[in-house]
Amino acid sequence: MKSKIISRVFVLGDNVDTDQIIPAEYLVYSLTKPDEAKLYGKYALSGVPFNESGLPNGNIKFIEENKFVSLHDIIIAGKNFGCGSSREHAPFALKMAGVQAIVAESFARIFYRNAVDGGFLIPIESKFKIKDKIDTGNLIEINLVSMRIDNICKSTSFELKDLGVVKPIIEAGGIFNYAKINKMI
Amino acid sequence: MGRTITEKIMAKSAGLAKINPGENIWLNVDILMTHDVCGPPTFEIWEKEFGDSAKIWDENKLVVIPDHYIFTKNTQANRNLELLKNFAEKYNLPNFYPPFTEKYKGVCHIALAEEGYTIPGTVLFGTDSHTCTSGAFGLFSTGVGNTDAAFILGTGKIWERVPESIQFIFENKLPEYLTAKDLILQILSDITTDGATYQAMEFSGETISKMNMDERMTLTNMAIEAGAINGIIQADDVTLNYLSGKTCKEFEIFTSDTNAKYKKVKIYDVYSIDPRVAKPHSPDNGELARNLKNVKITKCYIGSCTGGKVTDFVNAAKILKDKKVKVNTFIIPATKRVEESLIAEKIDDKSLKQIFIESGCILVSPSCGACLGGTEDTIGRSVDNDIVISTTNRNFPGRMGSKEAEIYLASPLTVAASAITGKITDPRDYL
Ligand code: SF4
């Protein structure tokens, strides 16, 4: 696991559900065939109502026209990120779009498990409501050792919650690696 | 301190004498269920991770029920069905229910119950968020993603956090104008969509003990809408009657201790609840049906694991009998068995099917259908600025197809009443 992630940030609201992260009509694509898998990047967050896409002002495309990868490797969101279906396609789509970490006030359980166990990206809970204090496009540094997030554009800094009991799984890069390291399989 | 039913089942599954909420423990899984959307990627991950030594931990405990994208020309969707078929043949899977054959069932969560896989006291995981439905049978059930499912497939084990429990007690007998759907929509309005995140929702009280299994499943089905790990109802005679003849497995019935520790206890008198609707775009955006009587609708949808069971259609038929619908009204039985019951079940001397046809409804073959939008050629899918009232469980933007559509969630009674007037209607107007 890296100790720092630096990127432009994409800011979203509360209750971003899995239908917004990857609409159901795209779930038919293969996750392993490369030419189909990259479509998950293209359609990541395509279900988010446009006026809420890239807060505070919205109307920002997460993925630009004809692109498969986002300019934003970090997402900041409000509470209950990833609620809805159990589709692992959701963290997968965000990973394909290049997302490395999501900082949210809280995560829905299945999305959180999928992100961690699949080793797709790092879900981090913020200690406070920070989505209103950071704008889409701001340059952000997440320090995974001190568990802080710095907004380089605004010179502000916020504490993050510890990764907790799942930290070893995140560090291993997913449940299979974790189980192999620990000789469980 | 006493323990909850969820804690007791998890402790037994983990082989531990004592467990505490908040702890992560390794569970031994009794049933793993998957369907056409998540089955193929689960099997791919399993084959990749376990390599040549890949072995299914127990074929008898794997249940594969395709249901999401069935009646479609979409090539990728059909490829998924093909992949499942090949996999089932390769590994000789005993519990595979493929479409376009005698074995086809329909929506997985209801099929699991009909086929007797929902055994009290056991642990059931599925690659679908509404796997919590099975908790109506007094078991621990919850949804996971493909990677977790692939891990279970190879090991029979998975980690889970022991949840704290919230108890919901319902007092008095459900009046004729209310259904379990109204109760769960009331709860969602009260606690919101993350009100039970990482917690167990336990339902009990006089109302629940008098409910049939269809209605109980409506409650546990929507536990995920509050973010819960699982929903659960203690098994009783109603449960045992439902299961009799469906399974010959021996099982243990667990109950919560009277001094069990709950995070919260909420008590409802059902007489103080009115027919409810969840407005767009969230299941917790609640309102009384009668306060929305000026909302015009363009479509009605009665189906899904939440609102496509026999009891749901009996309720809808009660209202639609000898009436005509004003807007397109789709009837999608969850499973083949439910579809057959539409002919067998009668009100006075008319079958439910007859009632629906005479009232002008559109009958659709059993599957998930447009509950999750489906592919472009899915019958009942919302288009453009449709305003839909539906018995399903989610009304997020785009959930039933069009991103511009508005979806209102309600009970089968309320949806049927609304179908007659073309506006959202309190079912008491027709009872
Ligand atoms: S009917 Fe709807 S909610 Fe139920 S399993 Fe199918 S898609 Fe999911």
Side-chain angles (χ1 to χ4, degrees):
Chain A
M1 190 171 77
K2 292 185 196 168
S3 59
K4 276 182 186 174
I5 302 170
I6 302 174
S7 167
R8 282 210 254 170
V9 69
F10 200 78
V11 182
L12 295 165
D14 291 329
N15 299 313
V16 176
D17 64 83
T18 50
D19 285 285
Q20 295 181 48
I21 298 171
I22 184 76
E25 62 198 285
Y26 304 123
L27 303 182
V28 291
Y29 295 124
S30 163
L31 297 159
T32 45
K33 291 196 171 58
D35 52 329
E36 284 184 42
K38 73 177 189 186
L39 293 171
Y40 282 99
K42 182 180 166 85
Y43 295 118
L45 297 182
S46 64
V48 176
F50 205 42
N51 60 350
E52 288 163 34
S53 177
L55 297 175
N57 299 323
N59 304 310
I60 301 174
K61 285 202 165 118
F62 178 62
I63 305 280
E64 292 181 354
E65 215 61 64
N66 301 321
K67 292 268 162 46
F68 296 88
V69 176
S70 177
L71 298 169
H72 313 84
D73 293 3
I74 297 174
I75 289 173
I76 289 191
K79 61 182 182 125
N80 206 19
F81 188 90
C83 57
S85 88
S86 69
R87 63 188 70 151
E88 195 159 307
H89 312 69
F92 179 80
L94 293 172
K95 182 197 158 150
M96 291 309 284
V99 175
Q100 298 181 50
I102 302 176
V103 180
E105 276 163 63
S106 63
F107 289 91
R109 165 185 164 271
I110 304 181
F111 180 90
Y112 184 83
R113 286 187 73 102
N114 286 344
V116 168
D117 283 356
F120 296 116
L121 46 85
I122 307 178
I124 310 167
E125 286 178 353
S126 59
K127 279 203 177 156
F128 313 98
K129 204 182 187 74
I130 59 171
K131 74 170 168 56
D132 303 336
K133 304 203 166 65
I134 297 176
D135 300 343
T136 294
N138 285 174
L139 196 62
I140 292 288
E141 178 181 306
I142 297 176
N143 189 316
L144 292 164
V145 180
S146 59
M147 292 314 279
R148 295 195 70 80
I149 181 166
D150 292 311
N151 188 341
I152 298 168
C153 295
K154 292 190 174 173
S155 304
T156 47
S157 176
F158 307 94
E159 274 180 73
L160 300 172
K161 284 194 194 156
D162 199 70
L163 293 174
V165 284
V166 297
K167 193 175 179 191
I169 304 179
I170 293 176
E171 280 174 342
I175 190 174
F176 280 102
N177 288 345
Y178 172 83
K180 282 170 195 161
I181 292 167
N182 291 288
K183 307 263 181 301
M184 292 172 66
I185 55 173
Chain B
M1 190 47 91
R3 296 186 302 159
T4 66
I5 176 171
T6 298
E7 287 158 16
K8 289 183 185 177
I9 296 172
M10 290 180 89
K12 179 187 171 218
S13 166
L16 297 169
K18 198 175 166 331
I19 58 171
N20 296 306
E23 258 177 83
N24 280 343
I25 57 172
W26 287 88
L27 299 175
N28 289 299
V29 178
D30 294 295
I31 293 285
L32 173 67
M33 185 281 298
T34 188
H35 51 50
D36 53 313
V37 176
C38 296
T42 295
F43 299 143
E44 272 181 40
I45 297 170
W46 171 77
E47 281 179 335
K48 178 175 148 256
E49 294 291 343
F50 289 95
D52 293 338
S53 65
K55 197 186 160 322
I56 297 174
W57 103 102
D58 188 339
E59 283 84 0
N60 293 312
K61 295 181 175 177
L62 173 65
V63 186
V64 185
I65 311 179
D67 57 356
H68 275 58
Y69 302 128
I70 306 301
F71 306 105
T72 171
K73 293 204 166 67
N74 183 289
T75 44
Q76 283 98 348
N78 286 321
R79 181 181 60 191
N80 273 343
L81 296 178
E82 200 56 33
L83 286 170
L84 286 187
K85 191 168 148 236
N86 295 344
F87 187 87
E89 274 167 12
K90 181 171 173 190
Y91 293 97
N92 218 348
L93 298 184
N95 311 316
F96 175 48
Y97 300 96
F100 313 110
T101 72
E102 287 280 294
K103 281 191 84 185
Y104 178 61
K105 295 289 164 227
V107 179
C108 56
H109 311 299
I110 307 308
L112 278 176
E114 288 173 349
E115 296 307 305
Y117 292 110
T118 49
I119 308 282
T122 60
V123 167
L124 186 155
F125 277 76
T127 59
D128 190 283
S129 61
H130 291 102
T131 304
C132 51
T133 311
S134 303
F137 289 83
L139 56 94
F140 177 83
S141 67
T142 192
V144 287
N146 310 335
T147 301
D148 283 343
F151 194 88
I152 297 171
L153 192 61
T155 63
K157 292 184 196 309
I158 194 68
W159 67 269
E160 186 57 84
R161 191 195 292 187
V162 181
E164 292 181 293
S165 295
I166 310 179
Q167 193 182 27
F168 299 89
I169 302 172
F170 287 96
E171 289 173 345
N172 286 318
K173 191 177 173 292
L174 210 56
E176 189 197 18
Y177 53 85
L178 284 186
T179 71
K181 184 67 172 286
D182 298 289
L183 307 189
I184 191 71
L185 289 177
Q186 175 74 54
I187 290 177
L188 283 161
S189 298
D190 294 344
I191 70 171
T192 79
T193 51
D194 67 346
T197 297
Y198 262 111
Q199 290 162 35
M201 291 170 79
E202 188 179 320
F203 306 95
S204 60
E206 186 198 346
T207 319
I208 311 294
S209 24
K210 296 209 166 109
M211 264 181 191
N212 67 23
M213 292 314 297
D214 279 358
E215 285 284 87
R216 292 183 187 185
M217 283 194 271
T218 302
L219 288 176
T220 48
N221 173 273
M222 288 187 74
I224 182 65
E225 262 54 75
I229 292 192
N230 67 315
I232 198 161
I233 296 169
Q234 290 177 12
D236 58 12
D237 286 347
V238 178
T239 326
L240 299 185
N241 280 338
Y242 182 102
L243 287 174
S244 96
K246 294 193 169 74
T247 181
C248 42
K249 292 227 167 72
E250 305 242 321
F251 51 83
E252 193 178 345
I253 290 181
F254 291 87
T255 51
S256 293
D257 294 329
T258 44
N259 61 342
K261 189 164 176 247
Y262 290 97
K263 170 122 197 238
K264 239 189 274 174
V265 178
K266 284 185 79 82
I267 302 174
Y268 291 93
D269 175 355
V270 288
Y271 291 132
S272 67
I273 297 177
D274 290 303
R276 296 189 70 84
V277 172
K279 297 182 290 177
H281 292 286
S282 182
D284 63 358
N285 195 9
E287 182 57 89
L288 300 184
R290 71 159 96 87
N291 291 348
L292 297 170
K293 62 173 185 285
N294 294 323
V295 177
K296 276 199 179 159
I297 50 171
T298 61
K299 243 179 213 167
C300 294
Y301 190 97
I302 307 179
S304 86
C305 51
T306 320
K309 298 171 260 87
V310 180
T311 307
D312 300 309
F313 291 115
V314 169
N315 280 330
K318 262 195 253 171
I319 300 240
L320 288 174
K321 186 159 180 287
D322 303 325
K323 301 272 184 335
K324 290 271 181 238
V325 298
K326 248 203 185 129
V327 294
N328 276 342
T329 299
F330 297 91
I331 302 285
I332 306 92
T335 63
K336 289 275 272 201
R337 275 194 202 225
V338 175
E339 189 181 44
E340 285 155 16
S341 304
L342 296 187
I343 299 168
E345 286 284 329
K346 293 202 163 73
I347 298 182
D348 299 335
D349 53 348
K350 276 188 189 164
S351 74
L352 302 187
K353 186 172 175 181
Q354 225 178 332
I355 293 170
F356 292 137
I357 290 174
E358 284 177 11
S359 66
C361 297
I362 302 158
L363 271 66
V364 185
S365 297
S367 84
C368 291
C371 166
L372 83 165
T375 47
E376 292 239 315
D377 55 355
T378 302
I379 301 176
R381 186 178 151 94
S382 68
V383 291
D384 304 331
N385 298 310
D386 258 344
I387 301 171
V388 187
I389 187 161
S390 172
T391 65
T392 53
N393 45 41
R394 287 188 176 142
N395 56 350
F396 305 137
R399 169 72 179 179
M400 297 188 74
S402 166
K403 240 167 90 174
E404 280 72 46
E406 300 201 333
I407 303 163
Y408 291 82
L409 305 175
S411 78
L413 293 172
T414 303
V415 174
S418 307
I420 297 171
T421 61
K423 288 178 179 177
I424 294 180
T425 302
D426 188 312
R428 279 172 289 197
D429 294 357
Y430 289 94
L431 284 168

